[in-house]
Amino acid sequence: MLRPWSPLALVLSVTAGCGGPPGPSESAGQIQSLDRSSYANPATPGAQVSFLHAGDPAGRRVIFVHGTPGEARGWADFLLNPKPGFEYIAVDRPGFGDSGPDGAVPSIPAQAAALEPLLVKRNGEWPILVGHSLGGPIVAQMALDYRGKVGALVIVAGSLDPGLERIHWAQPIGNWSLVSKLLPRAYRNANQELMALKPDLERLSPRLAALKCGIQIVHGTQDELVPYANVPFMQENLRSAILAVATLTGRNHFLPWTSRDEIEAAILRAATMEATCQ
């Protein structure tokens, strides 16, 4: 994963007035109106997992998992416009937003375990998981670790290829004690997640071939943070899955805020896949 927008670079660019990545188009007041709930994190005693929810409480769940850094509010455009018959849930992953702990949880399996309580069957259908960026390998991990409890996956600009992982020169500096204390919590924790990502992907990769699942892939060709080369990696390694790829020509990494229509279309396609992930 190439990261000109490393956590440390993000902080420095914002401080310099260059701005960071885009965000939801909905107003702060509308986002604030979303319902929020929480539950005890089964993977981290004493910590809570916080999430936003909207739509039909009796409908099929769609669970949105953000990348790093990130938070549930990043999916506000989706939650404020839910599709009929669906319940939309966006989580603050452990270490971000309103979810504990305060420090990082730099483990894909631990992140997946924290979200397992949200896997609820409705009307015979298990949830559709939507993972953006680092959320991509997290939802794949969930489908493997909790087989039979995930309906389908939508992987948006997902970083699954360990061979593409690179440590940005600024990242070790971000872990220095004096520098780390100056970073906002989200960037500090994101940096630790990214530093630990490659070994987790190396452990995940050999398992992908066994995943029998309906998977929608949405990826931009001009993604400089998570290169499009992740797509052929997924096509090669997810060989037991039913794959469909939406290639967004000229689009970058920030698809949840620039390509909502395409992601929603992928969710609806995933909903037509009757097979549960096995």
Side-chain angles (χ1 to χ4, degrees):
M1 183 189 301
L2 304 178
R3 296 186 187 85
W5 287 101
S6 69
L8 184 59
L10 272 169
V11 176
L12 295 177
S13 67
V14 172
T15 303
C18 297
S25 61
E26 301 286 359
S27 70
Q30 290 172 309
I31 296 172
Q32 191 65 31
S33 72
L34 288 167
D35 291 328
R36 182 177 286 276
S37 300
S38 64
Y39 60 89
N41 183 345
T44 307
Q48 293 283 311
V49 176
S50 181
F51 62 95
L52 300 174
H53 51 98
D56 183 354
R60 185 175 189 180
R61 279 192 170 177
V62 178
I63 301 172
F64 296 89
V65 182
H66 64 77
T68 193
E71 59 181 334
R73 290 184 296 179
W75 299 102
D77 290 344
F78 293 82
L79 269 69
L80 287 164
N81 301 279
K83 294 296 184 183
F86 291 93
E87 179 189 33
Y88 281 6
I89 287 179
V91 297
D92 284 333
R93 292 196 293 103
F96 297 92
D98 289 349
S99 291
D102 183 65
V105 181
S107 162
I108 291 176
Q111 290 282 336
L115 305 186
E116 188 273 336
L118 294 172
L119 300 179
V120 174
K121 192 175 187 180
R122 298 263 179 79
N123 301 316
E125 296 177 314
W126 290 99
I128 297 166
L129 308 184
V130 182
H132 175 235
S133 194
L134 192 142
I138 291 173
V139 298
Q141 183 87 40
M142 292 176 70
L144 285 162
D145 289 353
Y146 307 106
R147 297 186 189 216
K149 299 180 72 174
V150 173
L153 303 180
V154 179
I155 298 177
V156 180
S159 53
L160 275 83
D161 184 353
L164 295 175
E165 288 303 307
R166 302 288 186 272
I167 300 297
H168 189 278
W169 65 265
Q171 288 177 256
I173 297 173
N175 269 355
W176 293 356
S177 177
L178 290 177
V179 176
S180 179
K181 291 177 181 178
L182 297 175
L183 294 177
R185 172 189 180 231
Y187 295 135
R188 181 174 65 248
N189 290 348
N191 196 40
Q192 293 186 38
E193 284 191 335
L194 293 172
M195 295 279 285
L197 180 57
K198 184 170 184 172
D200 271 356
L201 293 183
E202 290 173 338
R203 287 185 284 271
L204 177 64
S205 293
R207 301 181 63 195
L208 296 176
L211 182 58
K212 297 179 180 179
C213 196
I215 302 177
Q216 301 285 324
I217 296 171
V218 184
H219 214 114
T221 60
Q222 298 302 310
D223 191 331
E224 295 183 347
L225 301 183
V226 179
Y228 187 81
N230 276 275
V231 174
F233 172 86
M234 286 186 272
Q235 290 173 314
E236 179 181 353
N237 287 274
L238 291 164
R239 48 187 172 271
S240 297
I242 303 171
L243 290 181
V245 178
T247 297
L248 304 186
T249 303
R251 307 284 179 90
N252 62 20
H253 187 61
F254 304 118
L255 302 182
W257 309 296
T258 63
S259 306
R260 179 163 66 90
D261 288 346
E262 290 84 350
I263 295 172
E264 289 278 19
I267 292 170
L268 293 178
R269 289 193 300 270
T272 67
M273 296 179 169
E274 297 181 2
T276 302
C277 296
Q278 301 290 338

